[in-house]
Amino acid sequence: MSISHMLLLFTTVGLIASILGYLDYRSGGSLCPSSLSLVSCSRVYTIPQATILGVHLSEVAPAYFTLLTATLAAYTALKRRLLIEAHALLSIAGLTLIPYLVYLELAVAKAICIYCTVMHVCIIGSSATHLYRLLRL
């Protein structure tokens, strides 16, 4: 699988997870599978830290992944190095937030949101793919 395909996979899966997470947030957490007591998206959604400047993180995530998708699509169409570097920087920016977000899930909410976890994995995968790409140059 090529680097572009890997990035497309991580970005697309992340976008889908972010949209599902947003829809779940809007429905009060009724869509989140919760067969284990540790999995509870609604507990994660309701912590005070999930809102920044009046905007819930479930509303920010689809915008973030849409921006990732747009930069990757533009790179695919135009082959401008600036666009793939923008995608890399956006991925790394997201990567820097993951430890704090996981801390909020585990220590504050005492629960895991499945959609958040999928998005975290996608951001880590995208960042790792960019690291691989840079090391190959």
Side-chain angles (χ1 to χ4, degrees), residues 41-109:
C41 297
S42 61
R43 285 203 323 245
V44 174
Y45 298 149
T46 57
I47 62 172
Q49 297 88 341
T51 301
I52 300 172
L53 300 173
V55 180
H56 197 274
L57 292 176
S58 293
E59 297 166 327
V60 173
Y64 171 76
F65 278 100
T66 297
L67 187 56
L68 278 174
T69 302
T71 57
L72 189 59
Y75 170 74
T76 302
L78 303 172
K79 298 295 185 208
R80 306 279 177 161
R81 183 181 172 112
L82 175 67
L83 294 166
I84 196 69
E85 299 306 335
H87 190 275
L89 287 174
L90 287 167
S91 296
I92 293 166
L95 182 66
T96 64
L97 297 175
I98 290 174
Y100 177 66
L101 295 172
V102 170
Y103 162 78
L104 290 177
E105 286 185 79
L106 297 176
V108 178

Side-chain angles (χ1 to χ4, degrees), residues 3-137:
I3 289 175
S4 293
H5 288 115
M6 290 295 293
L7 292 173
L8 180 63
L9 173 69
F10 289 126
T11 301
T12 303
V13 171
L15 179 61
I16 292 167
S18 72
I19 292 168
L20 290 173
Y22 171 76
L23 293 172
D24 189 50
Y25 163 68
R26 299 299 291 175
S27 74
S30 62
L31 304 175
C32 182
S34 57
S35 58
L36 303 171
S37 62
L38 183 63
V39 177
S40 175
C41 297
S42 61
R43 285 203 323 245
V44 174
Y45 298 149
T46 57
I47 62 172
Q49 297 88 341
T51 301
I52 300 172
L53 300 173
V55 180
H56 197 274
L57 292 176
S58 293
E59 297 166 327
V60 173
Y64 171 76
F65 278 100
T66 297
L67 187 56
L68 278 174
T69 302
T71 57
L72 189 59
Y75 170 74
T76 302
L78 303 172
K79 298 295 185 208
R80 306 279 177 161
R81 183 181 172 112
L82 175 67
L83 294 166
I84 196 69
E85 299 306 335
H87 190 275
L89 287 174
L90 287 167
S91 296
I92 293 166
L95 182 66
T96 64
L97 297 175
I98 290 174
Y100 177 66
L101 295 172
V102 170
Y103 162 78
L104 290 177
E105 286 185 79
L106 297 176
V108 178
K110 299 193 181 346
I112 292 174
C113 170
I114 193 73
Y115 305 114
C116 301
T117 302
V118 170
M119 288 184 275
H120 297 162
V121 169
C122 289
I123 293 168
I124 292 166
S126 182
S127 298
T129 302
H130 279 295
L131 178 61
Y132 174 77
R133 178 183 62 84
L134 290 172
L135 292 174
R136 275 193 33 214
L137 293 178

